[in-house]
Amino acid sequence: MPVQIRKAAVIGSGVMGAQIAALLANTGIQTLLFDLKPQELTAKEEKQGLTLKSHAVKNRVVLEAIEKLKKLKPAPLGTKEQAKLLEACNLTDDLRRLGEVDWIIEAVVEKMPVKKELFAKIEKVKKPHCIVSSNTSGLSIEGMVEECSDEFKAKFLGTHFFNPPRYLKLVEFIPNTQTSDETLQFMRAFTEQRLGKTVVIAKDSPNFIANRIGTYGLLLTVQEMEKSGLSVSDVDALTGKLIGRPKSATFRTLDVVGLDTFMHVAKTVYDHTEGEEQALFDPPNFMKRLVENGAIGQKVGKGFYQKNKKDGKSIILAVNPETLEYEETTKYQSELTSQTKQMKSLRKRIAFAVSQNTDDSKFLWNLISNVLVYASQKKDEIADDIYSIDVAMKTGFGWEAGPFELWDMIGFEQTVTKMKESGLEVPTWIDKMKGNNVSQFYRDGQYYDNHSEGYVDIPKKDSYYNLALLRKEKKIFGNDGASLLDIGDDVVLMEMHSPNQSIGLDVLDMIRRSVEEAEKSYRGLVISHQGKNFCVGANLMMILLEAQSDNYEDIEDIIHIFQQSMAKIRYSSKPVVVGAFGMTLGGGVEMSLPAASIHADFETYMGLVETGVGLIPGGGGNKELYLRNLKNVATDVNFDLQQVANKTFETIAMATVSTSALEAKKLNYLGDQDAIIFDKEEIIERSKQTVLTLEKNHYLPPTRDPIPVVGESGYATMLLGAKSLHWAGRISDHDLKIAEKLAFVIAGGRVPKGTFVDEQYILDIEREAFLSLVGEPKTQQRMQHMLMTKRPLRN
Ligand code: NAI
């Protein structure tokens, strides 16, 4: 086995290959990206005097792919600079260079002979320990390497990523019959911990797990639509969030995937099945005709949907399957959609949606019951257990719940009875479950295993914390906003659980008490949780209500408490480590910056976004970001204080949010003392380990040093930029007002340039500025708009 994967190669720089290479580059792995060597010069190359031997020509395919990566949305690269880790190679001249790498991923066209030929070539040049894998969507893994040596097969497996590979968590691992356990374990640990993915072991069957079930579900929906009289947009209204599928539902998903790609994937199953199943994997004629017409989805701007203009406004048209004409859509509304809209939990929604006596409910019952039956019929062919199928559908297709979880939600027994009444063939293992009086697939951390006919524990990683259990057994204290939990080794975790993890007085109170408790009786404190986003900011509703009731004294108190709580984190005598992930905005950033260390998931979107709601940071965020920017240039003897102030001002004024933890580093939200974590599930454990290391190394909080500021002249410089934007009409009067307040705070008020001020002074002028803005009607409008629409208002 390689000790570590230091260098990798990806072969095929198309849609998937290039993005997988970007994923590797994001984690810092140097990657050789290969594709075919062009046989002819383009007219442009000829004009430039290039020859077939020029680097730019030989590696044209890959070089273009790398450029495309920098523009693609959603961005595959954490920052554009990561592309430097990608090296363009071609399969004719550089094949030997495959001998430099520890992992080779094949992502060339989905054609068996091409893949087989490539593996024969790879075998001759790869290092003995190098692992080789294929990203095939569904071709036989065994067949692909049947002519390779046993040694090669032992280090070979399918690693099936999902598009877009940076954002979709699932990687299906498909071992061949000779893949060694060592290879599987090593790759699993690497893929989970370093690439931050969820690995599911799939069997070597056509299209593996997620594509087998997912493609079935999508094709079934298209065919049921044809029978139902529902339109394309009606079906999307019914098959998205309502039933726990992504918002893009059926047809928008197909447009994003590309009809051509989708038909190709469906054909793999078609080629390997027969009878009724095969018939289903033969896409309806109208889909074939769309592809013939080139309407293959979003990449060409036309598929099931097409954007158009009407009266100067952009409108969306949907295809009529009978005429293939694009028609205006109408919003689908029925008793079922209006009733389910009120239901927050999927369990309630789904149980209701399939049990009504209306046509749309029957349509949904048909879809869902068939998918559940299909998953249960195919289970043993595609996976080891039901849990793997559920995880694959959630992490690869974005379903809120997998088929067996859905089945439990609707009710196991009544579903089986109704399936039989509908003429569906339920497999014998399900009947046996009924016979054994087992009436659910899941119970308390376990799933039903049809082989042993009993329940088996859901696998848990060593680094996993069961917070629900800790809350019951190891809670030290807590309130509505957060709890302090003992997570072992004398470390405590402050876990936020307020709505959307927003910061209200309850959370602030918990910060203060948690730090004091850690200082008194523990080795340190971790602040994190296991929700979707770390923290979307302060509780805006609380501030708006106070402002609308003219309770400015109360707001001042709240801001004061906020600032003091953040200072508690900064000056805690025991290390405080924040574990951040997802949206970490406003107050969420202010809470992170004073920590001894931030452990941020790669997908952390950090930003002081207060200007979007007409405010500036009020919890010390201005000073903290300024200090971080200052620290970053401290070793440069020629550093310019004004530039430090400008950078801080621009980042906050523009409400810049990082698109990754790497970008947060560029913005100095993250620094050298912080860490980027790739496996979100490891954040709490890794944060705890850092607390322990810091404490062992005799942790001391930062000293309270006077801060050099740019003062009055620096204030004018900062404002100049904002004023020119205002003159050019690019920012509003209110934007300018906010910019003035912000510049004043960052400049350190009315003092001469280079004055050293105490941090309390900056906090005081920050509080004053915040208070004056909160009283502005336009700021209140912005806050209200954000609360109601979740979008910023430009006024
Ligand atoms: P693509 O068509 O975008 O890229 C394929 C690349 O292979 C091209 O850059 C092409 O120049 C290169 N190529 C063609 N013939 C070759 C040959 N004889 N030798 C070496 N390279 C050659 O295809 P895409 O979509 O990136 O798919 C690549 C693999 O990933 C396929 O096996 C596909 O089934 C699989 N896959 C695709 C997904 C998708 O959503 N597109 C999702 C998951 C897996």
Side-chain angles (χ1 to χ4, degrees):
M1 274 310 110
V3 184
Q4 223 189 59
I5 290 174
R6 294 175 204 278
K7 195 167 183 177
V10 179
I11 308 185
S13 64
V15 174
M16 288 303 283
Q19 291 193 82
I20 294 170
L23 180 73
L24 292 167
N26 284 343
T27 71
I29 295 174
Q30 227 190 323
T31 303
L32 307 180
L33 183 53
F34 281 80
D35 212 297
L36 297 172
K37 181 179 176 176
Q39 302 297 319
E40 284 171 29
L41 292 171
T42 61
K44 193 173 162 202
E45 285 164 345
E46 231 165 294
K47 240 190 191 164
Q48 290 171 330
L50 299 174
T51 72
L52 283 174
K53 288 195 178 135
S54 311
H55 176 80
V57 178
K58 285 192 299 186
N59 300 314
R60 181 207 304 144
V61 183
V62 177
L63 290 169
E64 284 177 2
I66 295 175
E67 282 314 302
K68 223 163 126 187
L69 281 177
K70 297 179 189 165
K71 295 179 198 125
L72 205 65
K73 291 268 173 291
L77 289 163
T79 62
K80 290 195 175 96
E81 286 78 11
Q82 292 313 108
K84 286 191 194 130
L85 289 173
L86 303 177
E87 193 178 339
C89 297
N90 72 74
L91 284 164
T92 311
D93 304 318
D94 305 317
L95 198 70
R96 295 222 148 266
R97 296 202 56 197
L98 290 174
E100 296 169 19
V101 306
D102 308 304
W103 180 22
I104 300 170
I105 309 154
E106 171 278 310
V108 302
V109 279
E110 187 77 333
K111 287 187 182 149
M112 194 55 133
V114 177
K115 296 197 191 248
K116 279 175 105 165
E117 195 187 319
L118 188 62
F119 291 127
K121 285 187 191 160
I122 293 174
E123 179 153 23
K124 292 197 186 109
V125 292
K126 81 172 189 87
K127 278 199 262 202
H129 75 233
C130 171
I131 289 167
V132 182
S133 71
S134 169
N135 186 52
T136 176
S137 307
L139 297 180
S140 162
I141 293 295
E142 196 72 32
M144 223 171 260
V145 289
E146 60 188 4
E147 281 141 37
C148 296
S149 69
D150 288 353
E151 230 195 320
F152 186 94
K153 289 178 190 169
K155 294 193 167 58
F156 179 78
L157 72 158
T159 53
H160 180 212
F161 287 83
F162 284 70
N163 189 16
R166 173 175 160 192
Y167 299 94
L168 281 178
K169 286 276 167 203
L170 179 62
V171 181
E172 289 176 331
F173 271 21
I174 312 100
N176 70 76
T177 44
Q178 292 185 55
T179 309
S180 70
D181 284 348
E182 212 188 347
T183 302
L184 268 183
Q185 277 166 21
F186 175 82
M187 284 305 289
R188 181 173 202 138
F190 170 80
T191 309
E192 289 178 348
Q193 291 163 10
R194 190 74 189 267
L195 303 183
K197 298 289 154 200
T198 304
V199 171
V200 167
I201 307 282
K203 290 190 185 169
D204 192 7
S205 56
N207 284 0
F208 317 129
I209 301 176
N211 273 346
R212 181 69 168 269
I213 308 285
T215 315
Y216 175 89
L218 288 165
L219 279 167
L220 181 79
T221 312
V222 183
Q223 297 181 3
E224 288 293 321
M225 172 184 77
E226 288 194 299
K227 295 183 214 156
S228 68
L230 292 164
S231 72
V232 161
S233 59
D234 293 345
V235 170
D236 272 357
L238 288 166
T239 57
K241 263 199 98 54
L242 196 158
I243 58 167
R245 304 266 173 90
K247 265 202 291 199
S248 52
T250 301
F251 294 105
R252 271 209 294 137
T253 299
L254 286 168
D255 271 353
V256 172
V257 171
L259 270 69
D260 50 342
T261 306
F262 175 78
M263 305 267 264
H264 199 83
V265 173
K267 188 161 183 311
T268 306
V269 184
Y270 181 87
D271 288 345
H272 291 91
T273 48
E274 47 196 31
E276 260 181 53
E277 184 177 9
Q278 188 184 47
L280 195 120
F281 280 91
D282 183 17
N285 274 332
F286 90 93
M287 268 179 89
K288 290 183 185 158
R289 282 174 55 209
L290 278 176
V291 175
E292 280 162 21
N293 293 349
I296 54 171
Q298 212 177 57
K299 55 191 161 193
V300 296
K302 190 162 90 164
F304 290 103
Y305 291 100
Q306 188 182 22
K307 267 196 193 149
N308 219 331
K309 286 249 178 250
K310 190 180 173 188
D311 306 329
K313 275 194 185 153
S314 182
I315 54 162
I316 302 214
L317 307 176
V319 78
N320 177 332
E322 278 170 24
T323 60
L324 294 197
E325 299 288 329
Y326 288 87
E327 297 167 355
E328 277 188 43
T329 57
T330 46
K331 195 170 176 203
Y332 182 80
Q333 264 170 329
S334 71
E335 185 62 27
L336 185 97
T337 53
S338 60
Q339 293 257 17
T340 45
K341 223 176 235 152
Q342 320 294 328
M343 303 174 185
K344 273 210 152 163
S345 90
L346 176 62
R347 181 179 294 275
K348 270 197 187 148
R349 255 184 354 251
I350 196 88
F352 181 87
V354 297
S355 61
Q356 306 307 298
N357 205 8
T358 56
D359 285 347
D360 48 6
S361 174
K362 287 177 192 158
F363 170 79
L364 287 178
W365 162 255
N366 257 344
L367 293 187
I368 289 165
S369 60
N370 272 289
V371 170
L372 302 189
V373 167
Y374 188 68
S376 61
Q377 283 169 344
K378 295 294 145 196
K379 188 203 143 277
D380 288 329
E381 187 189 329
I382 62 177
D384 291 331
D385 46 59
I386 59 164
Y387 177 68
S388 301
I389 297 179
D390 282 343
V391 173
M393 295 321 295
K394 288 190 283 186
T395 52
F397 269 72
W399 291 13
E400 212 178 311
F404 298 98
E405 289 169 328
L406 278 179
W407 199 323
D408 274 352
M409 287 178 185
I410 305 170
F412 175 77
E413 295 210 19
Q414 68 250 45
T415 303
V416 175
T417 310
K418 201 169 154 192
M419 280 171 172
K420 290 188 173 170
E421 283 165 13
S422 310
L424 293 172
E425 214 173 291
V426 180
T428 44
W429 70 270
I430 298 276
D431 271 334
K432 256 190 168 169
M433 271 176 84
K434 262 191 94 175
N436 291 342
N437 279 332
V438 173
S439 59
Q440 59 199 58
F441 292 103
Y442 288 90
R443 67 171 196 202
D444 281 345
Q446 295 186 310
Y447 64 84
Y448 179 77
D449 172 51
N450 62 312
H451 302 294
S452 60
E453 296 187 14
Y455 285 92
V456 173
D457 284 345
I458 290 174
K460 288 270 175 282
K461 291 189 211 161
D462 294 344
S463 56
Y464 178 77
Y465 285 90
N466 184 342
L467 292 190
L469 193 70
L470 284 172
R471 233 175 276 143
K472 265 191 224 155
E473 295 175 357
K474 300 277 178 186
K475 183 157 138 183
I476 301 166
F477 49 74
N479 60 24
D480 286 348
S483 301
L484 188 69
L485 311 175
D486 184 341
I487 53 170
D489 297 318
D490 289 334
V491 178
V492 275
L493 166 75
M494 192 195 97
E495 176 222 7
M496 287 122 74
H497 43 63
S498 52
N500 289 324
Q501 276 78 23
S502 66
I503 307 174
L505 283 171
D506 45 6
V507 172
L508 294 175
D509 187 44
M510 278 297 293
I511 291 176
R512 187 182 52 75
R513 290 171 63 201
S514 299
V515 171
E516 282 169 6
E517 186 68 19
E519 287 180 311
K520 195 170 73 186
S521 318
Y522 292 88
R523 294 165 77 181
L525 169 69
V526 173
I527 301 181
S528 196
H529 59 90
Q530 289 171 337
K532 192 168 163 218
N533 297 304
F534 175 64
C535 173
V536 294
N539 184 339
L540 214 52
M541 180 67 93
M542 165 182 78
I543 299 187
L544 181 64
L545 289 178
E546 298 288 1
Q548 285 175 339
S549 322
D550 289 333
N551 289 337
Y552 292 103
E553 273 179 27
D554 288 352
I555 299 179
E556 169 147 34
D557 283 347
I558 294 170
I559 300 306
H560 204 221
I561 294 171
F562 203 148
Q563 292 178 336
Q564 283 175 333
S565 309
M566 301 304 120
K568 272 267 178 206
I569 296 177
R570 185 171 170 82
Y571 295 111
S572 162
S573 61
K574 297 283 174 64
V576 179
V577 176
V578 164
F581 48 86
M583 283 199 267
T584 301
L585 304 176
V589 175
E590 298 190 280
M591 197 164 147
S592 307
L593 298 182
S597 173
I598 306 169
H599 281 27
D601 182 42
F602 187 83
E603 300 302 339
T604 301
Y605 314 122
M606 283 183 106
L608 288 166
V609 293
E610 285 82 352
T611 57
V613 288
L615 296 167
I616 63 165
N622 303 294
K623 174 207 66 167
E624 289 293 334
L625 186 61
Y626 181 73
L627 284 177
R628 281 191 175 234
N629 284 331
L630 195 59
K631 191 173 166 203
N632 204 43
V633 293
T635 49
D636 177 0
V637 280
N638 298 320
F639 88 86
D640 177 4
L641 198 58
Q642 185 68 50
Q643 275 175 14
V644 172
N646 289 354
K647 183 172 163 113
T648 314
F649 173 73
E650 279 159 23
T651 308
I652 302 175
M654 320 260 289
T656 315
V657 178
S658 74
T659 55
S660 66
L662 276 176
E663 206 180 61
K665 227 173 166 171
K666 263 175 77 179
L667 294 165
N668 286 336
Y669 283 130
L670 297 178
D672 292 341
Q673 72 278 31
D674 306 318
I676 297 178
I677 311 282
F678 295 97
D679 183 356
K680 187 179 162 200
E681 287 183 13
E682 277 193 346
I683 285 184
I684 294 178
E685 174 60 17
R686 295 277 300 273
S687 303
K688 172 174 144 183
Q689 292 306 328
T690 300
V691 163
L692 292 172
T693 311
L694 287 170
E695 203 263 347
K696 214 166 151 191
N697 291 331
H698 310 286
Y699 176 77
L700 284 175
T703 48
R704 193 182 171 114
D705 297 329
I707 303 167
V709 293
V710 291
E712 256 182 322
S713 62
Y715 164 76
T717 310
M718 276 185 268
L719 255 199
L720 207 61
K723 280 194 172 148
S724 56
L725 286 176
H726 185 244
W727 284 324
R730 297 193 25 216
I731 63 171
S732 67
D733 292 350
H734 195 52
D735 287 328
L736 185 63
K737 187 173 271 175
I738 300 163
E740 280 167 2
K741 301 276 175 195
L742 179 64
F744 187 78
V745 175
I746 291 169
R750 270 184 254 294
V751 293
K753 185 169 185 174
T755 305
F756 282 77
V757 299
D758 183 70
E759 66 174 47
Q760 189 55 49
Y761 162 76
I762 301 187
L763 292 177
D764 291 342
I765 55 176
E766 173 184 277
R767 213 169 51 249
E768 267 169 44
F770 185 98
L771 275 172
S772 75
L773 284 170
V774 124
E776 293 281 340
K778 285 201 167 165
T779 286
Q780 292 179 15
Q781 278 167 16
R782 284 191 187 190
M783 287 198 270
Q784 189 144 15
H785 192 266
M786 177 61 81
L787 283 166
M788 283 165 66
T789 66
K790 297 203 169 83
R791 287 178 199 289
L793 170 74
R794 300 283 324 265
N795 61 355

